[in-house]
Amino acid sequence: MSSPTEAAAIRERMQQLYECWNQGDAQAYAACFTEDVDYVAFDGSHIKGRQANAEAHQALFDGVLRGSTLDGEVKSLRFLAPDVALIHTEGVIKLRWQRKAPKGRRSIQTTVAVKREGVWFFTAFQNTRIQPPNAFARWMLRLMTPKRSASR
């Protein structure tokens, strides 16, 4: 359905995205996305469109995330069609005064890439903080797990 070359191009585009973040270049960062991107940040805020994405990230790069670096890794990449791919990445932001990024800040991202006029762009992005299950989640998991019969 797709070639290793296309997968490499998407991975390269993802690396470009990280580099744009690390340079604090909101316009270049947003240029990795489609004009009509849907971008959901870790806090649930929903940014619609490339320009809104650039503006939101410029405010972050000028403020709390000034000098931050983004370290990310593609965990899986699957083609849904020759010009559409689903990507899962994990990443973490290190703030300018930190030697290492805190483990509790790791996130998983779901991204949809589309190929338009020979170039891969990200058109949907969802970022979720990775957190250990709390007591309520553990309790719910126990309730949902089928019990094994003692007679086996």
Side-chain angles (χ1 to χ4, degrees), residues 110-129:
T110 302
T111 307
V112 177
V114 293
K115 190 173 186 182
R116 297 203 174 144
E117 298 179 17
V119 178
W120 286 99
F121 293 94
F122 305 122
T123 194
F125 176 88
Q126 166 74 49
N127 188 25
T128 304
R129 188 68 44 87

Side-chain angles (χ1 to χ4, degrees), residues 24 38 45 70 114 117 123 130 136:
D38 277 292
S45 57
L70 173 58
V114 293
E117 298 179 17
T123 194
I130 298 170
F136 178 74

Side-chain angles (χ1 to χ4, degrees), residues 23 25 76-77 80 108 148:
Q23 294 166 4
D25 188 340
S76 68
L77 192 156
L80 305 177
I108 186 167
R148 290 194 170 160

